[in-house]
């Protein structure tokens, strides 16, 4: 109710949107960053003729697409909101794609709450949009003074917020959000601004109904007397609004540089993070939809190799991982295929954004470099040791962990073709190339590198621990112990069939991972075997104590995940049989 | 090298710190938010006589406490840094504790990088410190213009940053960070300000060595000619600095309200989130070190019940989960026992802060409410479904998931007594009280509610799914199928002994959880049994598809985790034996 006037003016005179053709690329975007205003959004859809009264009344019912917070199950919704502070940064991504990639004239309108301006991610968005001079982005802040449990920090004093937005390079207005003429004038000025525009609109929560207007403790609660409220608002009416259609879409062209598919010689030492950069540059040359974003570490993730070849499709997002992931989500809402990279450890900064991306059914490709203790001297703050656990626990996600450079190239291309949230885990250290460039790898696959009928144990590793497994297998062979070695490069989904067969045939399994013991490869293997009803001796080697700094080899040994520990584990569990 | 002049002036004339007594509560704090400046920090320790040359040369070596980024393994370091954008928000927590709780005169000095000002968390800190008027907080921003891969957005133009900080209510100065007199004057003004103070100091990366000074592509790289650099800097010297000691600590008093331990009647329906609020208010009355923080949802998490009884120890952090967790980390650095709460889903926003808290060996207690699909109509954006997986994968963490209100009270008290990162998962819906108030529950325990020699299956649940397990057991009993029921309220550490015995005795296990299938209770149980070499039929019921809105019962049924699905799973796996 606080934002109804704001949205009424937007729908009648400013928004350009064909509700019969939400796929029209020339449509404006409207993002409700304050997703809890969903009743308003759905009422607007009803007024615009997109849904009918009957559907409107299914609000929050089981099976209805009118959920408590908007999701793209509704064709007019780009992205799920409801975790505050995400709609604006995602809209920055939409605006970046529209202006930088597509040279489109569309506008991105975002309805924000005032409470969510406490989220730092909103200020990442203000900063980046101002820096990128996104004149197609208009944020409307519904300053209704009241959060869920009480007043906001600034209530109706918008001066501090306005000064900050202005300092970020935005066109800033402060208005009465219930003054229709003021709203109208503000929208006209905002859409003509040569920079991103924000309108701080002072409003009253529950506007128009005295029983709740500007009162605390009413958040998310039904009215005590809805009939009286309807009467007070002017009685039952059936308002409809004619939303103007957009101009025809304009064609655009993408510059395509030719880049050869990278290949590496078996035995050469190459870091998979390097292969990621090479592969990204390559797929950028075969698929114009591929774009890349990085969090100011492109010389470590090697996203800089994409930037060098395809500068128009590369986005430097600086040290703002939430904005980086949000921008990627925004870009995919316009059909782009974004690859966003940082140190794996720092992707944890954007975990809520990845969680919400999955609810948005987003096509989001992530790459986290510098995983595990094997990064060495930089110490634990830089080591991703929880990324498998956390990113597996994202609905529908894919988690890949390449063990050599040629495989990494193929998995990056598989991520390009896969639609959904996917994550590639890359290694800092150079490791030996194991596979020929033309060997095939797929999401959900694995590779058995050593196998014989005499195998008495199966070693399961991926990434840098596969190298340790192979060394261990060599040493064990010298002792007359035959070990099967499986490269579990697809962590989710996992190749259960191969694991179950190997456990059944060898009777003993050792898993080795450069990751905490919780939620990683060991638990995946244990669960896979338990689900299949297969009993095998199991040793799970993983990182269990907080590491420090040191050479990679010393840290692998200290964590108990190097070849020596694999050998010891094999001897322990096979002797125990 | 860019910040050496800034820190030299600080150490010689401003910092009040007894390096022989880091436990002295009157010491100032010095936080290197730009943790990668660790060589400078360690050099300062050496100059102050805290460490010697020999130890300084162990930098980044295995086993050395002089890690790549600072951690509290060094007694003068409060918190681990190295994930950028965390030191300032944590310092806000230190400053809040010192001023609001302890009425201390100490100051909190924070060295920040300019690159990290792209992180929204830094602006959450600027906002909150300004709002709280923390005049004991002084941020020094080393504006050296260069990030790891190139120039920052603003380079040496600090005007935008300064305007924003000023709008947040800070005292702001912009100086030449190599002008010793300017630094001196700025510190004097900053420490006398009646508000938080920030000094934007324009500096040169690699200052003083022409080969690298203000040059790109030198980040984190050793000098090509260190001898020449030493010569250029004035030759080998052994500088020492006498750091002034603080004044004697001042005593302070905490107001203690009397609150009875909450108890609930068996059979009564109480939400565990309500029990959390009641318990928090209670432990606040028996332990003056308990403080509480909430992310503007205290009327949902019920942290408001603590606030009502102990207003001086309650901190409203608004919708800024990163700042909330960071403030808690800062407070525990001063010996407080902080409980920080929000919706479980939104704690994912602060995941990197929890990860780093564990590296800081912090005493951090978290509570996430509104977990799982059983929250009902608000939809998936509000449902924590990944919290067990992600928060288990934090080194040394504890994860608790109470199944009734009396148990929740005991677990909250157990969290108070436990030192480390712990997480309590609470349920939105009211569920039946199962246990008497005086039944004992402990971290690492479980409770077997139904057990007989005839049991042919074990049902494992926690929280709302325990209720479903009990209903299923009743229905199965009617069919002549005896089911053991285990309340797995301690998810990490888990009671392996009880699980293994139950699986061995009953031969079949059904796990039921309101959480994604990845990294949750099912995988924990499967892994526990596999580690023990126990083979049992296993069915893991968990959420596998993106839920929508609806009544809790409908959503539990749709996810396949209600009593009916438990019965069906039991029939399926026991028939299969």
């Amino acid at each position: 109710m606080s934002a109804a006037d704001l949205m009424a003016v937007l729908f009648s005179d400013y928004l350009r949107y064909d509700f019969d053709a939400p796929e029209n690329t020339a449509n404006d975007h409207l993002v409700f960053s304050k997703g809890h205003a969903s009743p308003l959004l759905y009422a607007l859809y009803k007024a615009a003729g997109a849904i009918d009264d009957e559907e409107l009344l299914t609000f929050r019912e089981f099976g209805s697409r009118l959920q408590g917070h908007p999701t793209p199950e509704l064709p007019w919704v780009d992205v799920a909101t409801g975790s505050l502070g995400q709609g604006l940064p995602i809209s920055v991504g939409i605006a970046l794609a529209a202006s930088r990639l597509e040279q489109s004239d569309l506008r991105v309108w975002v309805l924000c709450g005032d409470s969510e301006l406490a989220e730092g991610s909103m200020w990442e968005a203000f900063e980046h949009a101002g820096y990128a001079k996104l004149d197609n982005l208009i944020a409307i802040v519904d300053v209704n003074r009241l959060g869920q449990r009480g007043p906001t920090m600034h209530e109706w004093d918008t001066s501090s917020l306005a000064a900050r937005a202005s300092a970020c390079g935005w066109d800033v207005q402060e208005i009465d959000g219930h003054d229709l003429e003021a709203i109208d004038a503000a929208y006209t000025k905002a859409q003509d601004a040569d920079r991103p525009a924000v309108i701080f609109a002072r409003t009253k929560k529950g506007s128009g109904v005295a029983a709740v207007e500007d009162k605390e403790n009413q958040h998310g609660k039904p009215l005590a007397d809805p009939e009286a409220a309807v009467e007070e608002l002017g009685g039952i009416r059936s308002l409809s609004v004619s939303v103007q259609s957009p101009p025809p879409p304009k064609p655009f062209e993408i510059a395509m540089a030719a880049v050869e598919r990278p290949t590496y010689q078996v035995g050469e030492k190459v870091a998979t993070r390097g292969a990621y950069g090479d592969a990204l540059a390559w797929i950028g040359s075969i698929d114009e939809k591929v774009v890349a974003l990085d969090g100011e570490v492109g010389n470590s993730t090697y996203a800089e190799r994409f930037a060098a070849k395809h500068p128009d499709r590369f986005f430097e997002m600086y040290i703002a991982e939430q904005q980086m992931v949000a921008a990627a989500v925004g870009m995919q809402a316009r059909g782009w295929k974004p690859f966003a990279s940082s140190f794996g450890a720092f992707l944890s900064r954007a975990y809520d954004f990845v969680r919400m991306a999955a609810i948005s059914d987003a096509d989001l490709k992530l790459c986290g470099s510098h995983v595990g203790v094997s990064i060495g001297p930089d110490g634990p703050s830089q080591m991703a040791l929880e990324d498998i656990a956390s990113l597996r626990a994202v609905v529908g996600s894919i988690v890949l962990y390449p063990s050599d450079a040629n495989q990494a190239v193929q998995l990056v291309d598989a991520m390009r073709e896969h639609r959904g949230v996917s994550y590639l885990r890359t290694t800092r250290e150079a490791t030996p190339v194991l596979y020929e460039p033309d060997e095939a790898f797929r999401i959900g696959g694995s590779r058995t590198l050593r196998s014989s009928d005499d195998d008495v144990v199966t070693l399961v590793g991926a990434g840098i621990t596969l190298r340790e497994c192979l060394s261990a297998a060599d040493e064990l062979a010298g002792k007359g112990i035959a070990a099967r070695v499986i490269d579990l490069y697809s962590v989710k989904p996992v190749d259960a069939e191969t694991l179950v067969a190997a456990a059944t045939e060898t009777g003993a399994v050792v898993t080795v991972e450069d990751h905490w013991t919780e939620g990683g490869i060991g638990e995946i293997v244990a669960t896979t075997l338990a689900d299949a009803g297969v009993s095998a001796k199991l040793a799970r080697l993983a990182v269990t104590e907080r590491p420090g700094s040191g050479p990679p080899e010393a840290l692998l040994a200290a964590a108990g995940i190097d070849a020596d520990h694999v050998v010891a584990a094999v001897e322990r569990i096979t002797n125990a049989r």
Side-chain angles (χ1 to χ4, degrees), chain A:
Chain A
M1 293 160 79
S2 57
D5 291 328
L6 291 164
M7 290 299 102
V9 175
L10 182 71
F11 267 58
S12 27
D13 291 323
Y14 290 88
L15 187 71
R16 298 165 302 182
Y17 199 101
D18 185 348
F19 279 93
D20 293 328
E23 73 286 357
N24 184 339
T25 58
N27 283 333
D28 282 356
H29 289 259
L30 172 61
V31 175
F32 265 43
S33 192
K34 54 176 299 184
H36 56 282
S38 58
L40 172 59
L41 184 64
Y42 304 154
L44 289 162
Y45 290 161
K46 194 265 171 179
I51 62 172
D52 59 19
D53 274 316
E54 192 182 3
E55 181 167 15
L56 187 59
L57 292 173
T58 66
F59 179 51
R60 307 213 310 172
E61 286 183 4
F62 184 73
S64 169
R65 58 183 183 167
L66 303 187
Q67 297 188 15
H69 295 78
T71 81
E73 285 191 41
L74 288 162
W76 318 285
V77 173
D78 298 303
V79 290
T81 51
S83 180
L84 288 171
Q86 300 208 9
L88 186 63
I90 291 170
S91 298
V92 167
I94 297 173
L96 277 171
S99 64
R100 295 287 177 279
L101 296 167
E102 306 169 33
Q103 293 86 47
S104 166
D105 295 325
L106 68 80
R107 295 194 186 99
V108 186
W109 303 87
V110 194
L111 179 67
C112 307
D114 51 347
S115 278
E116 68 177 329
L117 290 177
E119 289 283 12
S121 55
M122 296 296 274
W123 296 99
E124 294 181 15
F126 274 106
E127 170 80 313
H128 200 93
Y131 173 74
K133 298 188 172 56
L134 294 174
D135 60 4
N136 56 349
L137 179 65
I138 301 169
I140 303 157
V141 185
D142 175 17
V143 185
N144 66 21
R145 187 184 78 80
L146 293 172
Q148 120 162 25
R149 73 59 276 153
T152 61
M153 277 185 264
H154 298 285
E155 303 200 35
W156 281 323
D157 178 1
T158 52
S159 58
S160 165
L161 304 170
R164 279 181 263 168
S166 181
C168 288
W170 286 53
D171 181 83
V172 178
Q173 301 178 70
E174 298 167 84
I175 64 167
D176 172 351
H178 299 303
D179 177 338
L180 301 184
E181 285 184 20
I183 298 168
D184 191 58
Y187 288 169
T188 295
K189 177 169 183 291
Q191 70 180 6
D192 292 341
D194 62 351
R195 61 190 75 183
V198 58
I199 298 161
F200 293 101
R202 288 179 299 275
T203 62
K204 291 182 179 171
K205 200 159 177 167
S207 173
V209 175
V212 297
E213 188 176 278
D214 193 34
K215 290 200 165 53
E216 296 192 30
N217 299 314
Q218 301 299 328
H219 185 94
K221 293 182 181 163
L223 291 160
D225 189 348
E227 285 76 18
V230 169
E231 204 55 40
E232 191 177 348
L233 289 164
I236 291 177
R237 288 167 294 175
S238 188
L239 298 174
S240 72
V241 60
S242 172
V243 177
Q244 62 186 309
S245 284
K250 291 196 304 188
F252 61 90
E253 282 198 4
I254 294 294
M256 298 292 283
V259 179
E260 289 291 300
R261 181 183 138 194
T263 58
Y264 311 93
Q265 296 275 321
V266 170
E268 191 183 353
K269 282 198 167 184
V270 183
T272 52
R273 62 181 171 131
Y276 170 74
D278 295 340
L280 200 60
W282 165 55
I283 63 170
S285 76
I286 61 171
D287 187 338
E288 65 175 22
K289 289 293 185 191
V290 170
V291 297
L293 308 89
D294 193 87
E296 220 274 326
V297 288
N299 54 340
S300 288
T301 61
Y302 288 121
E304 67 178 16
R305 294 180 183 172
F306 180 94
K309 297 292 183 182
H310 315 287
D312 295 347
R313 280 181 282 155
F314 178 76
F315 296 85
E316 176 56 68
M317 302 307 294
Y318 298 92
I319 305 183
E321 295 81 8
Q322 296 182 106
Q323 177 58 76
M324 177 180 73
V325 171
V329 171
M331 289 173 182
Q332 66 82 38
R334 289 202 59 80
W336 298 91
K337 299 181 183 175
F339 284 74
S341 51
S342 183
F343 280 32
F346 305 142
L347 291 179
S348 66
R349 196 62 150 267
Y351 190 43
D352 192 29
F353 286 76
V354 179
R355 180 183 77 88
M356 289 295 295
I359 296 174
S360 289
D361 200 19
D363 188 16
L364 173 68
K365 297 102 162 54
L366 299 170
C367 174
S369 69
H370 292 68
V371 303
V373 302
S374 63
I375 68 162
D378 274 344
S381 63
Q382 319 292 302
M383 299 170 176
L385 284 162
E386 62 296 305
D387 54 329
I388 292 178
S390 58
L391 293 169
R392 281 177 68 222
V394 168
V395 63
S397 69
I398 303 289
V399 177
L400 304 170
Y401 184 13
S403 302
D404 96 334
N406 283 323
Q407 185 185 64
V409 171
Q410 296 216 13
L411 295 179
V412 171
D413 195 38
M415 288 169 75
R416 177 183 68 80
E417 292 190 337
H418 173 80
R419 212 207 150 281
V421 175
S422 57
Y423 171 61
L424 188 82
R425 182 176 213 245
T426 64
T427 299
R428 181 186 189 283
E429 295 297 291
T431 54
V433 174
L434 302 170
Y435 305 112
E436 297 290 347
D438 51 0
E439 287 192 59
F441 300 97
R442 63 181 175 81
I443 292 170
S446 69
R447 179 59 50 103
T448 304
L449 287 114
R450 307 275 171 90
S451 180
S452 81
D453 293 343
D454 302 328
D455 294 340
V456 296
V457 66
T458 300
L459 311 182
V460 181
I464 201 153
T465 63
L466 183 67
R467 182 188 73 182
E468 302 301 314
C469 289
L470 290 168
S471 297
D474 289 343
E475 189 176 334
L476 289 164
K479 299 180 177 195
I481 301 172
R484 189 164 302 182
V485 179
I486 294 178
D487 173 6
L488 204 68
Y489 63 84
S490 180
V491 174
K492 179 187 175 189
V494 76
D495 182 356
E497 192 181 346
T498 297
L499 289 172
V500 167
T504 306
E505 289 164 30
T506 65
V509 178
V510 177
T511 63
V512 201
E513 62 195 308
D514 197 358
H515 183 276
W516 299 129
T517 191
E518 292 87 4
I521 290 174
E523 289 195 357
I524 293 168
V525 171
T527 303
T528 300
L529 301 183
D531 285 348
V534 170
S535 182
K537 303 277 184 195
L538 178 66
R540 300 181 297 116
L541 309 186
V543 185
T544 57
E545 289 178 17
R546 191 170 42 233
S549 291
E553 300 69 30
L555 293 175
L556 289 168
I561 55 171
D562 66 350
D564 288 347
H565 284 85
V566 176
V567 169
V570 167
E571 292 178 337
R572 191 169 67 242
I573 67 168
T574 54
N575 285 348
R577 289 172 73 189

